[in-house]
Coordinates of all heavy atoms in Angstrom, one line a residue:
I30 N -10.8 41.1 -8.7 CA -11.2 42.5 -8.8 C -11.7 42.9 -7.5 O -12.7 42.4 -6.9 CB -12.3 42.6 -9.9 CG1 -11.8 42.2 -11.3 CG2 -12.8 44.1 -10.0 CD1 -12.8 42.3 -12.4
D31 N -11.1 44.0 -6.9 CA -11.5 44.5 -5.6 C -11.5 43.4 -4.6 O -12.3 43.3 -3.7 CB -12.8 45.2 -5.6 CG -12.8 46.4 -6.5 OD1 -11.7 47.1 -6.6 OD2 -13.8 46.8 -7.1
G32 N -10.5 42.5 -4.7 CA -10.4 41.4 -3.7 C -11.4 40.2 -3.9 O -11.3 39.2 -3.2
A33 N -12.3 40.3 -4.9 CA -13.3 39.3 -5.1 C -12.8 38.3 -6.2 O -12.4 38.7 -7.2 CB -14.6 39.9 -5.5
P34 N -13.0 37.0 -6.0 CA -12.6 36.0 -7.0 C -13.6 36.2 -8.2 O -14.7 36.6 -8.1 CB -12.8 34.7 -6.3 CG -13.8 34.9 -5.2 CD -13.5 36.3 -4.7
Q35 N -13.0 35.8 -9.4 CA -13.7 36.0 -10.6 C -14.0 34.7 -11.3 O -13.6 33.6 -10.8 CB -12.9 36.9 -11.5 CG -12.6 38.3 -10.9 CD -13.9 39.1 -10.7 OE1 -14.7 39.3 -11.6 NE2 -14.1 39.5 -9.4
P36 N -14.6 34.7 -12.5 CA -14.8 33.4 -13.3 C -13.5 32.6 -13.4 O -13.5 31.4 -13.4 CB -15.3 33.9 -14.6 CG -16.1 35.1 -14.3 CD -15.3 35.8 -13.2
W37 N -12.3 33.3 -13.5 CA -11.1 32.5 -13.6 C -10.9 31.6 -12.3 O -10.5 30.4 -12.5 CB -9.9 33.4 -13.6 CG -8.6 32.7 -13.5 CD1 -7.8 32.4 -12.4 CD2 -7.9 32.0 -14.6 NE1 -6.7 31.7 -12.7 CE2 -6.8 31.4 -14.0 CE3 -8.2 31.9 -15.9 CZ2 -5.9 30.6 -14.8 CZ3 -7.3 31.1 -16.7 CH2 -6.1 30.5 -16.1
H38 N -11.3 32.1 -11.2 CA -11.2 31.3 -10.0 C -12.2 30.2 -9.9 O -11.9 29.1 -9.4 CB -11.4 32.2 -8.7 CG -10.3 33.3 -8.6 ND1 -10.5 34.5 -9.2 CD2 -9.1 33.3 -8.0 CE1 -9.4 35.3 -8.9 NE2 -8.5 34.5 -8.2
H39 N -13.3 30.4 -10.5 CA -14.3 29.3 -10.6 C -13.7 28.1 -11.3 O -13.7 26.9 -10.8 CB -15.6 29.7 -11.3 CG -16.5 30.5 -10.5 ND1 -17.6 30.0 -9.9 CD2 -16.4 31.9 -10.1 CE1 -18.2 31.0 -9.2 NE2 -17.6 32.1 -9.4
Q40 N -13.1 28.3 -12.5 CA -12.6 27.2 -13.2 C -11.3 26.7 -12.6 O -11.0 25.5 -12.6 CB -12.4 27.5 -14.7 CG -11.3 28.6 -15.0 CD -9.9 28.0 -15.0 OE1 -9.7 26.8 -15.3 NE2 -8.9 28.8 -14.7
H41 N -10.5 27.6 -12.1 CA -9.2 27.2 -11.5 C -9.4 26.3 -10.2 O -8.8 25.2 -10.1 CB -8.4 28.4 -11.1 CG -7.1 28.2 -10.3 ND1 -6.0 27.6 -10.8 CD2 -6.8 28.5 -9.0 CE1 -5.1 27.5 -9.9 NE2 -5.5 28.1 -8.8
I42 N -10.3 26.8 -9.3 CA -10.5 26.0 -8.1 C -11.2 24.7 -8.4 O -10.9 23.6 -7.8 CB -11.3 26.9 -7.1 CG1 -10.4 28.1 -6.6 CG2 -11.7 26.0 -5.9 CD1 -11.1 29.1 -5.9
G43 N -12.2 24.8 -9.3 CA -12.9 23.6 -9.7 C -12.0 22.5 -10.3 O -12.1 21.3 -10.0
R44 N -11.1 22.9 -11.1 CA -10.1 22.0 -11.7 C -9.2 21.4 -10.7 O -9.0 20.2 -10.7 CB -9.3 22.8 -12.8 CG -8.3 21.9 -13.5 CD -7.6 22.6 -14.7 NE -6.8 23.7 -14.2 CZ -5.8 24.3 -15.0 NH1 -5.7 23.9 -16.2 NH2 -5.1 25.2 -14.5
L45 N -8.8 22.2 -9.7 CA -7.9 21.7 -8.7 C -8.7 20.7 -7.8 O -8.1 19.7 -7.3 CB -7.3 22.8 -7.9 CG -6.3 23.7 -8.6 CD1 -5.8 24.8 -7.7 CD2 -5.2 23.0 -9.3
A46 N -9.9 21.0 -7.5 CA -10.7 20.1 -6.7 C -10.9 18.7 -7.3 O -11.0 17.7 -6.6 CB -12.1 20.7 -6.5
L47 N -10.8 18.6 -8.6 CA -10.9 17.3 -9.3 C -9.5 16.7 -9.6 O -9.4 15.7 -10.3 CB -11.6 17.5 -10.6 CG -13.1 17.8 -10.5 CD1 -13.7 18.1 -11.9 CD2 -13.9 16.7 -9.9
S48 N -8.5 17.3 -9.0 CA -7.1 16.9 -9.4 C -6.7 15.6 -8.8 O -5.7 15.0 -9.1 CB -6.1 18.0 -8.8 OG -6.1 18.0 -7.4

Side-chain angles (χ1 to χ4, degrees):
I30 297 176
D31 295 328
Q35 299 300 304
W37 174 266
H38 297 90
H39 282 259
Q40 68 81 28
H41 173 67
I42 295 167
R44 182 172 67 165
L45 295 180
L47 292 173
S48 67

